[in-house]
Amino acid sequence: GNSVTQMEGPVTLSEEAFLTINCTYTATGYPSLFWYVQYPGEGLQLLLKATKADDKGSNKGFEATYRKETTSFHLEKGSVQVSDSAVYFCALSYTGGGNKLTFGTGTQLKVEL
Amino acid sequence: SAVISQKPSRDICQRGTSLTIQCQVDSQVTMMFWYRQQPGQSLTLIATANQGSEATYESGFVIDKFPISRPNLTFSTLTVSNMSPEDSSIYLCSVKGASTEAFFGQGTRLTVV
């Protein structure tokens, strides 16, 4: 079956530090990959996506590249801000699976001054 | 993108009672999804609701406990029946976008006492 594995948190960084949150997946076929962000007390927001191998999704300074050879979709940001403090979820879906999302466990990020 | 409104945003309920959560979308969508996010955990799909047919439930979830209605292409309800403290979670409605991404409502934070 499909699964997503994320690095465990919480992750605590100083402002302007470099961020990497690892995500690897197991899936049949060719899934689409996503990063969602959940700010405190809010629902999920789509941060970025990639739909095929070697695609790079980017948004708000965050990037992730779909690596089929390593089945990975690591999230990176060059310089984090306090406002980036949130929980980040890696997820996958594929058309053959009815477009259902399979989520990782989430990684809490805390950015301090 | 789709705008999704969920009601109520939060509720505190007595055990043994039922709560119906409403999800309204600002555009017509074929597939709607209901997820549960237990405290400190990731999201788990409860069921997929298509208009004009019965909802399809994931393993571990049954219609008697989580009845779902889908009367039209912009609206759905999820009922949490005969609640116990273990049902305390955030319940999220989701719809598939025009491409591969999914959009989420703000969630309903349920506490059962």
Side-chain angles (χ1 to χ4, degrees):
Chain A
N2 299 329
S3 67
V4 177
T5 302
Q6 279 182 245
M7 65 184 286
E8 291 193 15
V11 174
T12 302
L13 296 173
S14 298
E15 201 170 43
E16 300 184 359
F18 185 84
L19 169 70
T20 300
I21 300 178
N22 290 337
C23 171
T24 57
Y25 67 90
T26 302
T28 55
Y30 300 94
S32 295
L33 302 174
F34 308 88
W35 278 99
Y36 283 86
V37 58
Q38 186 176 36
Y39 297 102
E42 299 186 15
L44 269 71
Q45 300 176 26
L46 177 66
L47 181 59
L48 54 84
K49 69 175 184 180
T51 58
K52 61 182 187 297
D54 300 325
D55 266 2
K56 177 187 283 189
S58 61
N59 186 26
K60 299 180 182 180
F62 291 89
E63 293 183 342
T65 301
Y66 190 144
R67 301 287 188 199
K68 191 171 186 297
E69 64 276 12
T70 55
T71 62
S72 65
F73 194 55
H74 304 320
L75 183 68
E76 296 182 337
K77 186 174 185 181
S79 176
V80 294
Q81 306 299 312
V82 172
S83 58
D84 294 325
S85 298
V87 180
Y88 293 81
F89 292 93
C90 185
L92 68 82
S93 76
Y94 65 102
T95 303
N99 296 293
K100 296 179 289 189
L101 282 165
T102 300
F103 285 89
T105 53
T107 302
Q108 183 173 8
L109 170 65
K110 182 177 180 182
V111 181
E112 300 175 332
L113 290 172
Chain B
S1 66
V3 177
I4 303 170
S5 301
Q6 265 187 252
K7 288 194 288 190
S9 58
R10 60 178 61 231
D11 207 342
I12 300 173
C13 300
Q14 297 290 323
R15 68 180 66 201
T17 63
S18 298
L19 175 71
T20 295
I21 301 167
Q22 299 179 4
C23 178
Q24 179 76 50
V25 188
D26 69 342
S27 58
Q28 294 185 338
V29 293
T30 303
M31 302 176 77
M32 296 179 77
F33 305 89
W34 287 98
Y35 288 85
R36 180 176 73 181
Q37 185 180 20
Q38 293 179 298
Q41 297 189 28
S42 188
L43 283 78
T44 302
L45 181 64
I46 297 171
T48 303
N50 293 332
Q51 195 268 336
S53 63
E54 285 194 7
T56 302
Y57 289 83
E58 298 298 305
S59 176
F61 297 96
V62 296
I63 188 171
D64 289 346
K65 176 67 175 177
F66 297 101
I68 288 171
S69 78
R70 183 77 203 275
N72 57 52
L73 291 172
T74 64
F75 188 78
S76 178
T77 67
L78 169 76
T79 299
V80 186
S81 303
N82 188 24
M83 288 183 285
S84 67
E86 291 71 36
D87 295 319
S88 298
S89 296
I90 300 173
Y91 293 86
L92 296 114
C93 171
S94 172
V95 302
K96 179 181 174 299
S99 181
T100 57
E101 70 275 16
F103 299 99
F104 287 82
Q106 297 284 21
T108 296
R109 186 178 298 269
L110 171 63
T111 302
V112 184
V113 297

